[in-house]
């Protein structure tokens, strides 16, 4: 599983509260990603990182922020959780993009978040 | 923006029947990847196609990349119960040049 862990694995929270999800990798890969998975939408990219303190927005970044202060950790924060953010969140890593092509991504086990 | 659609959304087959899922992009792709996600699990990389018209096989699975590099397909011959799961394509291209996942096809196999 490429040494990827996510915490917590399950969380129930209330609307309006901040939530932070953690992704940890043990293999010093440069690229890390946060996705959300919802029925009918597949996997949608929230934010990604291409190095320490280097992050960028994905297609559904509103309401989310990220931080990467160490190579091994990529944090996703829901600043004020809403019910629409109830989802399964996956972290992924890749060794990067070589020759213009995207390398395969390795996914963590996921975090199931419920916002009441 | 770039969209990647998959059809069908759901397919139910009898064990031993064949299965095909199709992936279509609104823009030309530089490459396409396929992933499988077992129920309750996480997506797992299967394969990557890069060249126009490329065909790759993995045992009973055959992957194709269209000549125009805007579509792809995954065909499973003689399905088994272990094939159950959701199959996603993911393509890189368009203005963002990031990997965009398709909506997925959920395969159910009845023994």
């Amino acid at each position: 599983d490429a040494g990827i862990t996510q915490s917590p694995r399950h969380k129930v929270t209330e609307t309006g509260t901040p939530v932070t999800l953690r992704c940890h990798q043990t293999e010093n890969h440069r690229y890390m990603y946060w996705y959300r998975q919802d029925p009918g939408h597949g996997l949608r990219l929230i934010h990604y990182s291409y190095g320490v303190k280097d992050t960028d927005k994905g297609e559904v970044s509103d309401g989310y922020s990220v931080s990467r202060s160490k190579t091994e950790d990529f944090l996703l924060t829901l600043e004020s959780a809403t019910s629409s953010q109830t989802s399964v969140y996956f972290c992924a890593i890749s060794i990067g993009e070589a020759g213009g092509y995207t390398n395969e991504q390795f996914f963590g086990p996921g975090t199931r978040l419920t916002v009441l | 923006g770039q969209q990647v659609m998959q059809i069908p959304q759901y397919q139910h087959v009898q064990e031993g029947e064949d299965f095909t899922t199709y992936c279509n992009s609104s823009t030309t792709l530089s490459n396409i990847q396929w992933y499988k996600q077992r129920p309750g699990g996480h997506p797992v990389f299967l394969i990557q196609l890069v060249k126009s018209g490329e065909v790759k096989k993995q045992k009973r699975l055959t992957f194709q990349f269209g000549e125009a590099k805007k579509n792809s397909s995954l065909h499973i011959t003689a399905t088994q119960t272990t094939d159950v799961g959701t199959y996603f394509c993911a393509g890189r291209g368009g203005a963002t040049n990031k990997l965009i996942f398709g909506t997925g096809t959920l395969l159910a196999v009845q023994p």
Side-chain angles (χ1 to χ4, degrees):
Chain A
D1 289 335
I4 307 167
T5 57
Q6 291 185 233
S7 60
R9 294 292 313 280
H10 299 87
K11 186 170 182 67
V12 180
T13 191
E14 294 186 349
T15 297
T17 60
V19 176
T20 296
L21 308 182
R22 179 182 184 239
C23 177
H24 179 79
Q25 59 146 330
T26 60
E27 300 187 2
N28 290 323
H29 289 300
R30 180 181 173 190
Y31 288 79
M32 300 185 75
Y33 310 83
W34 276 107
Y35 291 91
R36 60 177 291 173
Q37 184 173 34
D38 306 287
H41 290 279
L43 290 152
R44 292 181 293 174
L45 182 66
I46 305 171
H47 282 280
Y48 64 98
S49 171
Y50 42 94
V52 173
K53 298 186 179 179
D54 290 325
T55 64
D56 207 347
K57 296 179 180 180
E59 57 183 311
V60 290
S61 60
D62 287 349
Y64 302 95
S65 62
V66 290
S67 66
R68 193 165 178 201
S69 57
K70 298 185 292 183
T71 300
E72 58 266 36
D73 289 323
F74 192 30
L75 303 180
L76 176 70
T77 298
L78 288 65
E79 292 137 9
S80 178
T82 67
S83 58
S84 64
Q85 293 176 310
T86 292
S87 185
V88 179
Y89 291 85
F90 286 102
C91 172
I93 63 171
S94 76
I95 63 174
E97 302 172 358
Y101 304 116
T102 308
N103 296 103
E104 62 265 34
Q105 296 189 3
F106 301 91
F107 286 80
T111 294
R112 185 173 294 277
L113 176 67
T114 302
V115 183
L116 302 176
Chain B
Q2 180 190 3
Q3 292 185 337
V4 179
M5 302 300 295
Q6 279 184 256
I7 55 171
Q9 282 191 312
Y10 173 76
Q11 183 89 54
H12 178 228
V13 300
Q14 295 285 332
E15 189 171 22
E17 293 182 337
D18 292 355
F19 160 77
T20 304
T21 174
Y22 300 90
C23 179
N24 295 287
S25 171
S26 57
T27 60
T28 301
L29 302 170
S30 59
N31 63 313
I32 194 154
Q33 300 174 355
W34 284 91
Y35 292 78
K36 176 184 178 181
Q37 183 178 22
R38 295 183 185 276
H42 58 275
V44 175
F45 174 80
L46 294 176
I47 207 162
Q48 175 165 266
L49 305 171
V50 175
K51 299 176 183 177
S52 169
E54 189 170 12
V55 178
K56 286 189 177 180
K57 292 189 175 183
Q58 288 181 349
K59 298 183 180 179
R60 296 178 293 103
L61 278 60
T62 301
F63 304 83
Q64 294 189 350
F65 200 9
E67 294 288 344
K69 301 185 76 173
K70 295 182 72 173
N71 58 74
S72 180
S73 65
L74 159 59
H75 179 83
I76 302 178
T77 304
T79 55
Q80 299 175 359
T81 54
T82 53
D83 295 325
V84 165
T86 301
Y87 293 85
F88 292 99
C89 63
R92 178 181 173 181
T96 66
N97 210 27
K98 302 311 296 184
L99 198 66
I100 302 296
F101 279 80
T103 46
T105 296
L106 174 60
L107 172 64
V109 180
Q110 185 169 351

